[in-house]
Amino acid sequence: MNEIYTTVQGRLVANPESRTTRGGVPFTAFRLASTVRRPNPQTREYEDGPTNFFNVTAFRTLGANVGNSLKKGDPVVVYGRMRVNQWMRSDNIPATSVEIDAYTVGHDLTWGTTELVRVSRAQMDQTDRLSDEAIQSVHAELEAGSGLDAANDEYDVVPQPTGLVPREADREDPEREDSGRELTAV
């Protein structure tokens, strides 16, 4: 059977809920609303189309980070494995829901900025075979020997946005008095 992988852009309908499965695996679930916007040829303005709702579940560390990072109304982009679940409601009416097993979740930067705060690797599932102390001590030694730490990170720290967008000429001479231009809303 073929799996369906999808990317969905939308907003959280409610705050995420964090729980654990019966097997002790931590997860966070949230509901996502995605509304299509289409141009109306008569009015030449964009109009909202129908809204699709998705139940999204993120497991383990991703789930913990989702629970700590997102709140109701946040614009997000979700990538994961999708399935359609058909079930019977309590009043014997058939119902259908679309569910996504999230592999990646992030803020939609079309609507604003965000800042990544790195967290230490949370070992949420103590029954996971990789949580064995011997394996974790080997991983810790490997990471300690890599020379990477918060002070000597391989990533550059990005300065706070100034509202100016550099032009090509400005990159060659950043000391120019009139360098950059104001951002405009699109």
Side-chain angles (χ1 to χ4, degrees):
M1 182 168 145
N2 294 328
E3 299 285 346
I4 299 172
Y5 294 90
T6 188
T7 303
V8 179
Q9 171 189 7
R11 291 186 181 266
L12 272 70
V13 182
N15 288 327
E17 291 189 32
S18 298
R19 298 186 184 164
T20 57
T21 65
R22 289 185 196 128
V25 177
F27 70 92
T28 298
F30 61 91
R31 192 147 167 83
L32 182 69
S34 180
T35 304
V36 177
R37 291 193 47 86
R38 294 190 178 114
N40 182 327
Q42 285 80 28
T43 64
R44 294 185 180 173
E45 293 188 13
Y46 280 88
E47 296 177 350
D48 287 343
T51 300
N52 295 303
F53 292 92
F54 303 89
N55 296 323
V56 181
T57 306
F59 292 91
R60 297 181 174 78
T61 303
L62 175 60
N65 290 339
V66 163
N68 290 325
S69 302
L70 302 180
K71 64 184 181 314
K72 178 181 179 178
D74 280 354
V76 295
V77 177
V78 175
Y79 170 76
R81 183 172 51 92
M82 183 181 78
R83 75 174 188 159
V84 176
N85 188 19
Q86 297 177 336
W87 44 282
M88 194 66 73
R89 292 184 357 186
S90 59
D91 53 359
N92 289 329
I93 297 176
T96 304
S97 61
V98 180
E99 301 171 350
I100 298 175
D101 179 1
Y103 295 157
T104 304
V105 177
H107 282 113
D108 183 354
L109 298 181
T110 304
W111 300 98
T113 62
T114 188
E115 182 178 329
L116 176 67
V117 177
R118 294 186 184 185
V119 294
S120 62
R121 187 181 313 157
Q123 192 65 42
M124 304 293 288
D125 183 8
Q126 297 302 319
T127 62
D128 186 356
R129 63 183 176 186
L130 291 177
S131 68
D132 185 275
E133 286 184 35
I135 293 171
Q136 289 300 307
S137 66
V138 169
H139 287 181
E141 289 172 19
L142 289 172
E143 288 179 13
S146 70
L148 295 177
D149 59 17
N152 298 321
D153 200 356
E154 64 183 289
Y155 299 99
D156 293 331
V157 176
V158 178
Q160 192 71 9
T162 62
L164 298 176
V165 177
R167 295 177 287 210
E168 278 304 314
D170 300 334
R171 290 190 178 103
E172 296 167 11
D173 185 13
E175 300 298 318
R176 274 183 41 189
E177 183 88 13
D178 65 338
S179 66
R181 64 175 188 241
E182 286 294 321
L183 290 173
T184 58
V186 242

